[in-house]
């Protein structure tokens, strides 16, 4: 590649700083729009299966045909002993996820999802604990809630006491960033307390979480469990996570709406970028025509235009990522998580370059079909 | 003098709705080495279309065009840029300099197209600008140059590929009379002293005195082709030419 081409592309861009600003602003707008929409989709998707993904369990045992985590149906906890006796199972514990009612001090009722787990084994317990210790949940009636929902639940500090379905609940600690996809916040407590809060009969559980021996094969253990334990389904954490995500994202239509918004963001972004890059190319149309008259090949012109597009893409992407970083940080304390994982950030770089070069290709078509009269007329 | 460009029966037709507009009609012409030829005629007479075809930018609808013996009308589209790059230098009415590049870089860009870059290109660009009297303006941007200076940069750029043919479209139209004369002097020198074939489209009657040959066009046809033969006055070359 000849350096002169880069120099021409670079100088064409930076010569008109207002035009460059408009182009880069267009790219920034498009990239931020796409990042926010995709980040929201990713945030929603991740949120729906957050409990499962952080459970540290290998297998989830539940009644047959449970489509997603919120739809677990209580079953006899005596199956736990059979599970524990199955070869390959290292640990197993009872687990509850059930909707219940939280009563604020002002009497207002809020729907919550009670998460009951064994604080000793910690499978399925809270993560990102910022105040209190998980061990505190061994005490009856102690609960953890997330900082995000303090206001919703009327909680101000550790030690505040409320009622869940008429039973005492004392806030013993806080987590950070554990969102619920439904509008009902998670309330972590011991399995025993959860049975009371969620009216699960004493001899029943909603799930059994199991971890496997390192040497055990998942398929073998699952087959053994299905043989040994009646009327249950056994799914891996990954499978259950996918089932839950698919249900919330696609079966309910919630995710489709977010995904469509993301696609709309992509389309709007592409159009904005295409328009700005196209306008930039049109601004230099006479120069491209001159180059063509001077004997520049189409390949030479393509390189100039595409390099300009890539330079615009890199400028725009860098600024957009800075803006997105603030948006993502701002969302941490907001109602909806916007996620921007590294692979997505790298993917966005590729997408930005593709968008800009794609937009440039539209204008290249114009350049290659230049009317010679535009070259010769003053 | 040898004919560097030979056009035979050139016709160019543009579609206009269901009708067709004939911009050039059976134009036969040669452009000779060491000759400064003016193409004159009213607007819409086909001068620029003819210049575009002679410059291998536009293809004729019919007819043949030979540049230094090569019939370019039969060449593939992808081969034409090389002809323009190697054999033809263009000069435009509006100069068409790159505003983002200095005078030297504008000239060097033309060299880059030929694969000459870096120090060699800069040295050659400086020499060309010196030839057109702009040795002190190497690092000046077009915006900082007068019209005459810009056109001289454009001439230096046109010469960068050392082409045997120079095609100019209204090169003095945007210049005052003093600058216009300076540019025409330069073009005349290129034709007479350097042996270039120079074809110029112009409306500027003040430039007629520079012509070795004047081709007048109307309605896409050549209606007069007169050559000033040294010592023999003006000679009509075209059949049925209007004096």
């Amino acid at each position: 590649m000849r350096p002169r081409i880069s120099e021409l592309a670079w100088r064409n861009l930076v010569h008109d700083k207002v035009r460059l600003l408009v182009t880069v602003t267009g790219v920034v707008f498009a990239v931020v729009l796409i990042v926010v929409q995709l980040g929201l989709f990713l945030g929603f998707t991740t949120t729906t299966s957050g409990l499962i993904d952080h459970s540290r369990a290998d297998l989830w045992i539940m009644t047959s045909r449970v489509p997603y985590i919120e739809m677990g149906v209580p079953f006899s906890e005596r199956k736990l002993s059979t599970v524990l006796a199955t070869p390959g199972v290292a640990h197993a514990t009872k687990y509850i996820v059930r909707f219940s009612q939280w009563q604020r001090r002002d009497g207002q009722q809020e729907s919550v999802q009670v998460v009951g787990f064994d604080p000793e084994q910690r499978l399925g317990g809270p993560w990102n604990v910022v105040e209190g210790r998980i061990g505190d949940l061994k005490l009856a009636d102690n609960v953890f809630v997330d900082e995000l929902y303090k206001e919703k639940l009327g909680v101000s500090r550790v030690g505040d006491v409320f009622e869940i379905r008429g039973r005492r609940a004392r806030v013993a600690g806080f987590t950070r960033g554990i969102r619920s996809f439904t509008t009902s916040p998670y309330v972590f407590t011991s399995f025993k307390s959860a049975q009371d809060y969620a009216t699960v009969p004493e001899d029943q559980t909603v799930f059994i979480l199991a971890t496997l021996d390192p040497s055990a094969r998942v398929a073998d253990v699952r087959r053994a469990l299905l043989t040994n334990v009646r009327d249950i389904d056994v799914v891996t954490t990954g499978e259950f996570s996918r089932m839950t995500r698919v249900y919330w994202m696609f079966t309910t239509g919630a995710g489709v709406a977010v995904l469509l918004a993301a696609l709309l963001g992509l389309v709007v972004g592409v159009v904005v970028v295409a328009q700005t890059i196209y306008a930039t190319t049109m601004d230099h149309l006479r120069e491209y025509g001159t180059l063509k008259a001077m004997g520049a090949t189409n390949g030479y012109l393509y390189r100039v235009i595409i390099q300009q597009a890539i330079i615009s893409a890199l400028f725009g992407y860098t600024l957009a990522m800075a803006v997105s970083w603030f948006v993502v940080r701002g969302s941490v304390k907001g109602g909806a998580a916007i996620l921007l994982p590294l692979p997505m950030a790298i993917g966005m770089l590729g997408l930005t370059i593709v968008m800009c070069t794609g937009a440039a290709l539209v204008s290249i078509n114009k350049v290659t079909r230049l009317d010679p009269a535009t070259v010769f007329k003053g | 003098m040898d004919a560097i460009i030979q056009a035979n029966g050139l016709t160019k037709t543009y579609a206009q709705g269901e009708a067709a507009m004939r911009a050039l009609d059976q134009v036969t012409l040669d452009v000779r080495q060491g000759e400064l030829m003016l193409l004159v005629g009213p607007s819409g007479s086909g001068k620029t279309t003819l210049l575009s075809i002679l410059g291998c930018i536009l293809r004729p609808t019919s007819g043949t065009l030979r540049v230094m013996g090569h019939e370019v009308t039969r060449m593939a589209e992808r081969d034409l840029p090389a002809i323009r790059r190697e054999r033809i230098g263009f000069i435009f009415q509006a100069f068409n300099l790159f505003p983002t590049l200095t005078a030297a870089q504008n000239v060097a860009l033309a060299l880059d197209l030929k694969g000459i870059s870096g120090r060699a290109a800069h040295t050659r660009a400086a020499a060309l600008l010196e030839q057109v009297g702009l040795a002190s303006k190497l690092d000046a941007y077009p915006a900082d140059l007068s019209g005459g200076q810009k056109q001289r940069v454009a001439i230096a750029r046109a010469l960068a590929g050392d082409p045997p043919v120079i095609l100019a479209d209204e090169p003095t139209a945007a210049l005052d009379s003093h600058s216009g004369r300076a540019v025409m002097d330069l073009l005349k020198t290129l034709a007479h002293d350097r042996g270039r074939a120079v074809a110029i489209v112009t409306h500027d009657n003040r430039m007629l005195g520079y012509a070795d040959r004047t081709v007048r066009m109307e309605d896409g046809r050549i209606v007069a082709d007169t050559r000033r033969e040294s010592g023999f006055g003006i000679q009509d070359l075209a059949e049925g030419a209007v004096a």
Side-chain angles (χ1 to χ4, degrees):
Chain A
M1 196 175 295
R2 292 172 190 153
R4 177 67 62 181
I5 297 174
S6 302
E7 194 176 334
L8 180 62
W10 171 257
R11 282 172 178 269
N12 271 356
L13 272 180
V14 299
H15 179 73
D16 186 346
K17 293 184 173 56
V18 175
R19 167 57 67 191
L20 177 63
L21 189 67
V22 169
T23 305
V24 170
T25 303
V27 177
V28 169
F29 173 77
V31 173
V32 170
L33 189 66
I34 296 166
V35 164
V36 168
Q37 293 297 341
L38 286 178
L40 268 174
F41 179 74
L42 206 57
F44 281 150
T45 309
T46 307
T47 300
T48 58
S49 61
L51 276 184
I52 305 167
D53 298 331
H54 287 88
S55 67
R56 282 172 288 190
D58 295 316
L59 292 176
W60 288 64
I61 294 135
M62 62 197 85
T63 56
S64 298
R65 290 184 288 278
V66 172
Y68 58 100
I69 190 168
E70 284 83 3
M71 279 294 282
V73 177
F75 61 93
S76 172
E77 67 174 33
R78 278 182 293 181
K79 294 183 193 293
L80 176 64
S81 54
T82 317
V83 170
L84 281 167
T86 302
V89 172
H91 301 284
T93 182
K94 296 173 287 184
Y95 193 59
I96 288 174
V97 178
R98 294 277 275 181
F99 285 98
S100 190
Q101 289 296 118
W102 172 284
Q103 186 174 330
R104 290 160 49 122
R105 285 185 180 158
D106 58 9
Q108 189 176 321
Q109 298 279 330
E110 291 288 347
S111 173
V112 293
Q113 287 185 83
V114 172
V115 180
F117 70 105
D118 181 355
E120 293 281 358
Q121 291 200 28
R122 302 193 176 185
L123 289 182
W127 62 101
N128 290 348
V129 175
V130 291
E131 199 172 346
R133 290 173 300 130
I134 292 179
D136 296 341
L137 294 178
K138 290 178 195 167
L139 294 174
D141 303 337
N142 273 1
V143 300
F144 275 21
V145 294
D146 197 273
E147 287 179 333
L148 288 169
Y149 302 107
K150 275 183 171 178
E151 194 179 332
K152 182 181 174 76
L153 300 177
V155 178
S156 53
R157 66 182 68 84
V158 167
D160 286 353
V161 176
F162 300 86
E163 281 188 1
I164 301 175
R165 218 181 278 278
R167 293 178 183 274
R168 181 179 182 274
R170 175 183 172 275
V171 176
F174 292 104
T175 59
R176 180 172 293 162
I178 302 183
R179 286 184 171 78
S180 161
F181 182 69
T182 65
T183 55
S184 308
Y186 292 125
V187 174
F188 291 92
T189 188
S190 67
F191 180 82
K192 186 79 187 83
S193 297
Q195 282 181 315
D196 292 338
Y197 294 148
T199 58
V200 175
E202 258 189 35
D203 61 343
Q204 297 207 330
T205 182
V206 178
F207 298 99
I208 293 172
L209 307 189
T211 58
L212 306 187
D213 289 329
S215 58
R217 289 180 57 204
V218 173
D220 294 341
V221 177
R222 172 151 54 181
R223 199 177 307 114
L225 284 168
L226 289 170
T227 306
N228 297 342
V229 189
R230 282 184 178 180
D231 305 323
I232 56 151
D233 264 352
V234 180
V235 293
T236 65
T237 294
E239 288 167 348
F240 200 35
S241 174
R242 271 192 298 281
M243 287 161 62
T244 299
R245 288 178 183 205
V246 166
Y247 177 82
W248 283 115
M249 288 293 106
F250 300 108
T251 310
T252 66
V256 174
V258 179
L259 196 58
L260 280 177
L263 286 175
L264 196 63
L266 185 68
V267 170
V268 170
V270 168
V271 169
V272 169
V273 169
Q275 200 277 332
T276 51
I277 297 275
Y278 184 79
T280 303
T281 306
M282 290 304 105
D283 278 353
H284 294 284
L285 203 55
R286 171 178 287 275
E287 291 159 32
Y288 296 129
T290 305
L291 271 174
K292 206 170 171 179
M294 288 163 59
T297 58
N298 281 339
Y300 191 98
L301 297 177
Y302 293 168
R303 287 199 293 276
V304 173
I305 294 170
I306 286 173
Q307 281 183 14
Q308 281 178 19
I310 290 174
I311 294 168
S312 302
L314 294 177
F315 270 134
Y317 173 81
T318 306
L319 285 173
M321 281 299 120
V323 173
S324 299
W325 185 79
F326 283 107
V327 172
V328 168
R329 267 186 66 93
S331 79
V332 170
K333 292 184 179 175
I338 298 171
L339 301 184
L340 180 55
L342 185 62
M344 183 171 141
I346 294 169
M348 279 308 301
L349 174 61
L351 184 64
T352 310
I353 290 173
V354 167
M355 274 198 310
C356 291
T357 49
L361 289 176
V362 176
S363 23
I364 279 174
N365 189 40
K366 188 88 175 173
V367 170
T368 52
R369 291 166 185 266
L370 262 181
D371 182 347
T374 62
V375 184
F376 281 113
K377 286 300 172 187
Chain B
M1 285 184 285
D2 299 331
I4 293 182
I5 296 181
Q6 294 168 296
N8 192 16
L10 291 181
T11 297
K12 180 67 183 178
T13 309
Y14 291 106
Q16 272 192 339
E18 291 184 1
M21 197 274 285
R22 187 165 284 205
L24 280 188
D25 189 3
Q26 291 291 326
V27 170
T28 297
L29 178 77
D30 56 17
V31 183
R32 298 179 185 180
Q33 187 180 4
E35 184 176 73
L36 192 151
M37 181 181 78
L38 295 187
L39 282 168
V40 298
S43 295
S45 59
K47 306 185 298 295
T48 300
T49 302
L50 178 58
L51 199 71
S52 301
I53 292 175
L54 296 180
C56 304
I57 287 177
L58 193 63
R59 283 183 179 276
T61 308
S62 64
T64 58
L65 177 72
R66 300 176 80 86
V67 177
M68 299 180 77
H70 296 278
E71 187 173 340
V72 294
T73 33
R74 287 189 183 178
M75 282 186 176
E77 194 66 39
R78 63 176 180 277
D79 296 326
L80 294 180
I83 296 286
R84 295 198 292 270
R85 210 164 47 233
E86 305 292 335
R87 296 175 185 175
I88 300 166
F90 290 97
I91 299 166
F92 307 98
Q93 175 182 344
F95 323 123
N96 291 28
L97 297 178
F98 291 79
T100 61
L101 302 179
T102 65
Q105 287 169 334
N106 263 283
V107 178
L109 184 62
L111 293 164
D112 183 56
L113 293 176
K114 291 195 74 174
I116 304 166
S117 53
R119 184 176 292 275
H122 186 79
T123 305
R124 172 101 176 111
L128 286 164
L129 285 168
E130 191 176 348
Q131 283 176 31
V132 296
L134 291 176
S136 62
K137 298 290 184 182
L138 300 186
D139 297 323
Y141 285 92
D144 301 324
L145 299 173
S146 68
Q149 288 171 330
K150 285 179 196 172
Q151 199 57 295
R152 281 190 277 159
V153 174
I155 292 171
R157 183 178 67 181
L159 294 172
D162 199 21
V165 181
I166 302 286
L167 300 180
D169 182 44
E170 304 275 10
T172 59
L175 305 179
D176 58 46
S177 57
H178 175 74
S179 300
R181 280 195 299 275
V183 165
M184 288 305 292
D185 284 337
L186 199 52
L187 293 173
K188 190 175 175 181
T189 305
L190 289 175
H192 294 175
D193 298 349
R194 309 272 182 84
R196 303 305 208 280
V198 180
I200 302 171
V201 166
T202 184
H203 276 108
D204 192 343
N205 289 333
R206 293 170 302 176
M207 304 305 157
L208 292 178
Y210 286 92
D212 299 310
R213 181 180 174 195
T214 303
V215 174
R216 181 172 298 279
M217 296 188 69
E218 282 178 18
D219 300 328
R221 292 168 175 268
I222 292 175
V223 294
D225 187 349
T226 53
R227 174 170 290 136
R228 188 197 307 272
E229 297 286 357
S230 55
F232 294 96
I234 294 175
Q235 179 189 358
D236 284 351
L237 297 176
E239 286 180 26
V242 178

